[in-house]
Each structure stands twice: as C-alpha cells, then as structure tokens.
Amino acid sequence: MKFNVNDFTVEEKLKLLSGYDGWRLYMAEGKLPEVRLCDGPSGLRDEQQKATAMPTISVLANTWSREMARLDGATIADDCVEKGATVLLAPGVNIKRTPLCGRNFEYFSEDPYLAGTLGKEYISAVQEKGVGTSLKHFCANNREHCRLSQSNEIDERTLREIYMRPFEIALQAKPWTVMCAYNMVNGVYASENKKLLKDVLRDEFGFDGVILSDWCATQNAYRAFKASLDVSMPASTDHYETLKRAYDNGWITDEELNERAANVLRLIEKCANAQRICATDKETRHKNAVTVASEGIVLLKNEEGILPFNTPSVAVVGKCAVNPPIGGGGSSNVHTDYKQIPLAELLQERMPTAKVTFGDTFNWSPRHTQIMNAAYTSAYHADTVLLCVGTDNVIETEEADRETIRLPLVQEELILRTAKVNPNVVVAVYAGSAIDMSAWIDKVKAVVFVGFAGEGGNEALADVLTGKVNPSGKLAETFPLCLADTPTGSTHGNSFVERYSEGVFVGYRYYDAYEKEVLFPFGHGLSYTKFSYSDMEIAKRTETDYEVSFTVKNEGDTAGKEVCQLYVKDVFAPVSRPEKELKGFTKIALAPGQSKRVTLTLDARSFAYYDVVNGGWRVDGGEYELLVGASSRDIRLTEKLSLSFPENEQFSQYFNYKT
Ligand code: BGC
C-alpha cells in the first residue's frame, strides 16, 4: 500500500493531523486503513479486551537485561497482533527524578543510559513483530502533580545529559512515533516547543516518524503545528478548526501542511504493510510474564541465609499474598483474566514437606485490630514469617504523586509488631518506586523487592523465595534513607514552575556528589551465590574507543546471574561532573565455580559532557577512571585511563550535530 499526499484534499490533510476518535487515526472515509493506538507499557491495555499483564517497566528495568527487555516487548507485541492494536503507546523513558512521582512504575531508571538502552531493546522487539511503538513522554515529564500546567525549568546541560539522553539512545531503535509530554519545558509546552520537537528531535536526533501529542496535551493546535507536532490526540474538532483558520489565513503554507500530512501517511502505510507476527499463545505469554518478573525481583537483604526458605513452617501474612498489586494506576492498567493463585499455595507446592499457613489478608479493614491479632498469632506459631506488604495502584498512579515514600503506617506497624513475636521475618515489598524502610529494616532478616510484577509476579516470587530461581535483579533506582535525603527533598512541586536546581546530580549522581548514605544504592541486588571480579584489562581501539574486559567467577555452589556494571569517572573535569556515570552493563549466567570473561565497550559518548559554550558534546583530553562493580557503591575493579588530543583539535574532541 502506498499513499500520496497529493491525492488528499486540504480538509483531509488537516484532518490527518488529529485523531479519528480516542484511539484511531483519521481514515478519510475509508480511503485509509485503520490504525489503532493502544497503551502500553506493561501489556496491551484495551478497555474491551483482556491481555497479559506483564511486570511494570520498573520491574523490567530491575532485570538489567537486554534479553528480558526484548522478551517483554515481543510478548506484548504478540498480544497487540492477536488483538488488533497497530501502535503500542510505549515505552516511557522519563527519568526518575524523585521517588514521589506517581508514575515511576512506568519508567525505567534514574540513569539515562540504563533507561535508554533497555527502552531501545523493548522498541526493537515490538517493532520486529510489525507493531509500532511510541517513545514517550518527550520530555522531562518527571512528576504527575500539575503535569498539565507545570513548567520544568532545566539548564541546557542537564536537559541534554539527563532528560533527553534516554530518548536519544532509544531512538536508535527507530520508534514509529514519539509522544510529547504534557508539561512545559522552560516555559513552553512540550507540544509547542520548537526547540524540543524540531531543533532537537527532528534535526539533531534525526527522528523521521510521527510526533504525537500526549492525550489532550495540545493546548493550541496552530502553535503545536508550527513547532512540528504531527498529530494531536484524541480527535478534536477544535484542533481541526484552529488549523483550518490558520491555513485559510495563510499562516500555514501548503508545503508545511504537505510535510506534516505526509508524515502521517507514511506511518499509516508502514502499519498497513507490516508483517504482523504473533508467535505465542496465551499460556506462553503468561510464562514470559513470570520469567521477566523472576529476573526483576531484587533481593535487598538476606541475613543468616534465611532465604531461600529451608524451614519447617512459614506463616504468610498480608493482602499482597492473595491479591498482589500487579501494576500501577492510570493508562497502563492492563485488563487480565489471569486468576491469582494465593502465594501460600504456590509456596506449599514448591516446599511439600514444610507447613505453609496463610495468616490473614490483613487488608486494612475496620476490623484491622482483630485481623492483626490473627496475623500475629499465626506468625508467633510459625518458624518463619513472610510479610507481603506494599503500596497499590491508588497510591502509585498517573495524575497524582505519592505524598510519602514510606509504607502505609498500618503496614509498618504490622512489620514491627510481627518482628516482636518472631525473630525470622522476611518482608516482600510490592511497590512501583523506592520505599523508605528505615522504620523497620533493622528488625527483619530479609527483604525482597517484588515491585509491581504483573500477573506472574507471585509465581516468580515463590520461585525466588524457594530457590527455584536464584535472584538476579538489581535496583535501577537508589533507595534513599528517607524522602528528605532525595535531590528534590520533601517538596511536592506545588508551584507552577519546578526548578531542576540539582542539575545533572540526579539519583546516584546526587548521593555520590554529596556523600550521602543511602538505604540501597543504585545497582544493588543480592544473589544466593557470590561473584568475584578480577583481571581487568583495557584495550584501546581509538583515542575514544575502548574495550574493557574482566573475569567474573561464581564462587558459590548455586548457579546464578550477575549484573556487571561499568562506570566512568572524569577525574579533573572543567565543569561539575558526577563522581561516576554508568556507561556499560551486562548480565551473565554462571554455573557453580564457572568463570567468564566479560567485555564491555566504551565510545566517545561514554566520556563526553554537553558543552553549552559550543553547543555540542565534548570529550576532554585528561584523566579518567574506569570502575567495574556489582553496584554503584560496590566497585570491585578500577583502572586509570588518559585521553589525549592534539593541539590542533584544541586538546578535546567535539561533536556538533549541526555542523
Ligand atoms: C498518558 C499517556 C497515554 C495516553 C493514552 C495519557 O494520559 O500520559 O502515557 O499513552 O494517556 O492513554
């Protein structure tokens, strides 16, 4: 199928720039095939149809696995093919600037490289199945509070290095569409922001797909048109009339209109001509949901090897054990028909000789004292207690931010009181973002961060708790000691302008720069085995391209997977730079006693910062350190590296997209 813009009237072309309805593009009275846009990102979300509820993106990010990002994307795409969705409105690669953001569960990380890299794999996997994606929300949508009216005031370097960077990386997978954010950036709505949409996204990043508005994000269709927005969603006669008036007045030229309409026609063509492939059935997709979740679950603490369970009896307590929050609230909410099997049953199946009891759901009812008493009684009589606590899709949801990063107080009370009657407490936490655990973490033996792990979350958790799966997830965001310790403090962004005054010091970049203690650092996650790192070597390919190799050995007697992380430190930078920045990672599987040589590559961008004076990326000659670690605060190997550039290159290497 091929469409020519000249075959369409001015009215039709203008109508192409807004939806046909809430979810479909304009069809020109049957001249064009249907293109149906559906959310994303933790499964196909369609009000009318059931689909596989995959783990949320935050859990996927905790896998630190390109392979899992691909499996996740491919599984969701299969649902899209089977159920007729043409473009998946996902993934979102916005940075987790504050753990309060109600939508953090939909986003990957506080780190642009990790977010962009996993986002890229997810996009490739979806599109290889003939389903389009929408990389969202461009850009700097980092809070839900006042998202339609707030301006995020961000300096140029921070914008480039932190907030645009994950998009720049994910764009390498060529998403068919990009969705702009609701918020303003430096006083101009993202939908009307020529610098974002035209100068950067189109001209510098070379994006040639369709730029969509977020739903109802277009404030003024004419201004948005001028800034390069192609399609305002959902359908709106107001948009059409505004654009028609602008065209009739000569404010929009035929050339401009043809260019925008042609962009949309190309997308429709691509969708119509795609080879849509569904390779799985519902059961396989459910298994994939369990697999991704089991790699995304993070073992945060494990004293005295209490996990995996090897105990005569376990009392399971907490409503998440029977009714786990499988996702957060809002547009990513997937309708699944999967019936949860109670966690106690899943554990009993895997531990046939142990006595597994279910204490109570403890579901915050008015009877809560009575229920709590029942929970304590079962906890008191068991050898080990598993407490399943967390937030839910009301606390963590689109359109609102959290007010606290602590668990609901009644749950903290449950943990503290249970720990008084039983010394062997394991806590499983279900949440979409970081939790302040300081009130209780010292009183319990183990903590497992489940996240919002989708319909297969509790099966995956049962596998991890019983050792069927050795945990291999690591945190894609820092868990701070408390809210006041975070870069944005405990402020809620209540004004119409949010100043990003911490600059590039977001997440671990902030805690490192200010030497702050954290509860669990970025990249942290335990295993049932131990890994050692040795023999680091750097092989130079060019002045800015290197291969960094090292050996990782599984020192224990359990097979496991390790996420190896490579950070770069600029030792004497002329601008304020983070202590270190993630520039490479991989996840490897090792049998007991096995070792493997790992090689990660670095290129010029691994050393570069954004030079606001010259308007481009720059690598300075000078001293760098390459740090290999098991987390951002568990660096195992370090090597020094000197880069040098000749005088006629001004001792630096510059990249300017425009020249
Ligand atoms: C969200 C988008 C979503 C769209 C359509 C908006 O509220 O911000 O992420 O794709 O709705 O549901």
Side-chain angles (χ1 to χ4, degrees):
M1 245 182 234
K2 190 115 188 91
F3 306 110
N4 188 330
V5 74
N6 298 321
D7 297 339
F8 294 82
T9 63
V10 166
E11 279 67 26
E12 285 171 334
K13 288 188 258 189
L14 289 168
K15 282 188 177 163
L16 275 171
L17 308 185
S18 176
Y20 172 72
D21 55 20
W23 303 104
R24 285 177 297 174
L25 297 184
Y26 177 59
M27 289 173 280
E29 313 297 332
K31 273 206 260 177
L32 294 167
E34 181 181 286
V35 170
R36 203 153 67 86
L37 317 168
C38 291
D39 284 301
S42 29
L44 165 66
R45 177 263 204 160
D46 181 336
E47 295 300 336
Q48 317 307 330
Q49 304 188 74
K50 308 278 191 221
T52 318
M54 297 299 284
T56 58
I57 291 290
S58 53
V59 173
L60 174 63
N62 286 346
T63 70
W64 287 66
S65 163
R66 292 169 177 83
E67 191 194 335
M68 288 301 116
R70 296 187 66 83
L71 182 66
D72 193 43
T75 307
I76 298 170
D78 278 358
D79 258 328
C80 291
V81 172
E82 201 173 274
K83 295 173 175 99
T86 333
V87 175
L88 181 74
L89 300 171
V93 294
N94 295 90
I95 289 293
K96 299 182 196 209
R97 175 173 175 251
T98 162
L100 290 177
C101 175
R103 228 174 161 181
N104 273 357
F105 66 87
E106 279 193 61
Y107 299 143
F108 288 90
S109 181
E110 65 191 26
D111 181 83
Y113 179 76
L114 182 58
T117 305
L118 295 179
K120 178 170 106 181
E121 298 295 341
Y122 177 106
I123 292 169
S124 303
V126 174
Q127 295 192 166
E128 278 163 21
K129 299 260 176 181
V131 175
T133 58
S134 193
L135 176 62
K136 65 191 189 182
H137 308 89
F138 191 68
C139 128
N141 187 169
N142 311 106
R143 248 185 191 174
E144 289 302 289
H145 184 80
C146 287
R147 66 179 181 176
L148 288 165
S149 52
Q150 203 164 59
S151 176
N152 296 334
E153 212 165 89
I154 313 174
D155 68 77
E156 183 73 10
R157 225 190 105 205
T158 303
L159 201 49
R160 300 287 183 153
E161 291 184 22
I162 305 292
Y163 297 99
M164 287 178 175
R165 185 70 184 136
F167 290 90
E168 191 185 2
I169 298 171
L171 281 167
Q172 292 165 9
K174 301 207 173 305
W176 294 1
T177 76
V178 167
M179 186 192 293
C180 76
Y182 279 122
N183 49 281
M184 293 182 233
V185 176
N186 293 327
V188 181
Y189 275 106
S191 58
E192 303 174 358
N193 201 311
K194 179 178 163 294
K195 172 168 176 163
L196 291 187
L197 305 187
K198 170 89 175 99
D199 303 349
V200 175
L201 185 59
R202 286 273 187 236
D203 294 349
E204 293 188 25
F205 295 172
F207 175 65
D208 62 0
V210 162
I211 307 180
L212 293 174
S213 74
D214 197 345
W215 266 231
C216 305
T218 308
Q219 306 290 323
N220 177 290
Y222 170 60
R223 283 204 303 255
F225 179 96
K226 283 290 179 185
S228 275
L229 188 86
D230 293 312
V231 180
S232 287
M233 286 299 291
S236 151
T237 40
D238 179 45
H239 291 156
Y240 172 76
E241 278 157 19
T242 305
L243 291 177
K244 177 85 170 65
R245 197 166 51 246
Y247 179 83
D248 291 344
N249 287 334
W251 307 334
I252 288 178
T253 64
D254 279 307
E255 197 189 346
E256 285 174 314
L257 179 59
N258 283 348
E259 186 192 308
R260 297 286 192 288
N263 289 344
V264 186
L265 289 174
R266 267 202 320 279
L267 171 67
I268 299 176
E269 240 167 61
K270 208 181 242 180
C271 295
N273 296 334
Q275 295 280 323
R276 290 164 59 83
I277 310 154
C278 173
T280 52
D281 56 13
K282 191 175 164 194
E283 200 180 313
T284 313
R285 293 198 280 276
H286 174 73
K287 275 195 198 135
N288 293 350
V290 177
T291 305
V292 177
S294 63
E295 287 220 12
I297 288 174
V298 188
L299 178 62
L300 293 175
K301 169 175 175 171
N302 190 17
E303 266 176 16
E304 297 165 29
I306 189 169
L307 292 175
F309 282 139
N310 177 12
T311 173
S313 59
V314 186
V316 181
V317 177
K319 86 167 179 166
C320 300
V322 278
N323 187 18
I326 61 173
S331 61
S332 66
N333 182 27
V334 178
H335 302 278
T336 171
D337 52 14
Y338 177 76
K339 298 265 169 303
Q340 288 292 331
I341 304 166
L343 185 58
E345 267 178 46
L346 296 167
L347 287 172
Q348 187 68 80
E349 243 172 60
R350 288 159 179 78
M351 301 192 298
T353 57
K355 183 173 169 223
V356 183
T357 53
F358 181 58
D360 214 315
T361 57
F362 178 61
N363 59 5
W364 314 336
S365 81
R367 296 188 304 124
H368 112 233
T369 311
Q370 200 185 334
I371 289 171
M372 272 182 123
N373 287 341
Y376 300 138
T377 310
S378 71
Y380 178 70
H381 288 294
D383 180 70
T384 310
V385 191
L386 172 67
L387 291 181
C388 298
V389 297
T391 63
D392 56 23
N393 61 5
V394 176
I395 297 174
E396 295 192 68
T397 182
E398 192 174 334
E399 286 187 73
D401 289 330
R402 281 196 286 174
E403 289 185 354
T404 167
I405 61 167
R406 288 173 65 164
L407 289 174
L409 288 183
V410 74
Q411 298 196 32
E412 287 193 346
E413 189 188 337
L414 172 75
I415 300 171
L416 290 170
R417 291 229 235 149
T418 307
K420 280 198 174 147
V421 297
N422 191 312
N424 296 323
V425 176
V426 174
V427 182
V429 181
Y430 300 66
S433 194
I435 295 286
D436 167 356
M437 303 179 181
S438 41
W440 50 267
I441 187 131
D442 294 338
K443 313 280 190 299
V444 303
K445 287 241 168 89
V447 182
V448 183
F449 190 73
V450 185
F452 291 157
E455 63 179 48
N458 270 357
E459 283 167 74
L461 177 63
D463 288 344
V464 165
L465 293 171
T466 55
K468 191 174 162 210
V469 166
N470 189 351
S472 64
K474 295 210 179 185
L475 294 178
E477 67 184 296
T478 308
F479 277 32
L481 287 174
C482 61
L483 189 56
D485 272 0
T486 62
T488 53
S490 29
T491 56
H492 289 276
N494 283 338
S495 73
F496 287 110
V497 179
E498 172 91 357
R499 265 182 69 71
Y500 283 35
S501 49
E502 73 286 352
V504 297
F505 299 99
V506 176
Y508 66 90
R509 290 165 168 78
Y510 172 80
Y511 303 106
D512 282 358
Y514 295 93
E515 295 179 3
K516 284 199 180 244
E517 208 189 311
V518 297
L519 180 66
F520 295 110
F522 175 77
H524 167 80
L526 303 173
S527 163
Y528 295 146
T529 186
K530 290 261 176 281
F531 301 99
S532 66
Y533 287 67
S534 62
D535 302 323
M536 182 170 175
E537 274 176 339
I538 302 174
K540 182 171 175 176
R541 298 288 169 247
T542 72
E543 198 55 45
T544 51
D545 291 275
Y546 296 86
E547 281 178 3
V548 181
S549 306
F550 49 92
T551 300
V552 183
K553 183 170 184 210
N554 181 350
E555 301 285 356
D557 49 15
T558 310
K561 290 185 180 171
E562 170 69 333
V563 174
C564 315
Q565 303 159 38
L566 173 60
Y567 297 85
V568 174
K569 174 183 169 79
D570 184 344
V571 182
F572 301 115
V575 293
S576 52
R577 294 195 77 177
E579 271 296 297
K580 59 177 168 312
E581 296 185 273
L582 183 77
K583 298 297 172 183
F585 66 89
T586 190
K587 189 169 198 174
I588 52 164
L590 290 167
Q594 190 188 5
S595 32
K596 271 189 191 163
R597 195 83 186 138
V598 172
T599 301
L600 299 173
T601 54
L602 295 175
D603 62 17
R605 290 298 291 274
S606 316
F607 302 97
Y609 60 91
Y610 192 79
D611 173 352
V612 291
V613 176
N614 292 292
W617 292 85
R618 161 172 160 189
V619 183
D620 287 326
E623 307 308 317
Y624 293 83
E625 284 175 15
L626 307 185
L627 318 169
V628 171
S631 91
S632 64
R633 293 226 169 148
D634 183 8
I635 300 301
R636 306 286 185 87
L637 304 166
T638 304
E639 284 291 332
K640 292 180 178 166
L641 182 68
S642 295
L643 304 192
S644 80
F645 302 101
E647 187 175 0
N648 64 355
E649 288 178 16
Q650 301 174 47
F651 308 109
S652 296
Q653 197 176 85
Y654 294 88
F655 315 81
N656 192 333
Y657 288 103
K658 285 179 184 155
T659 53

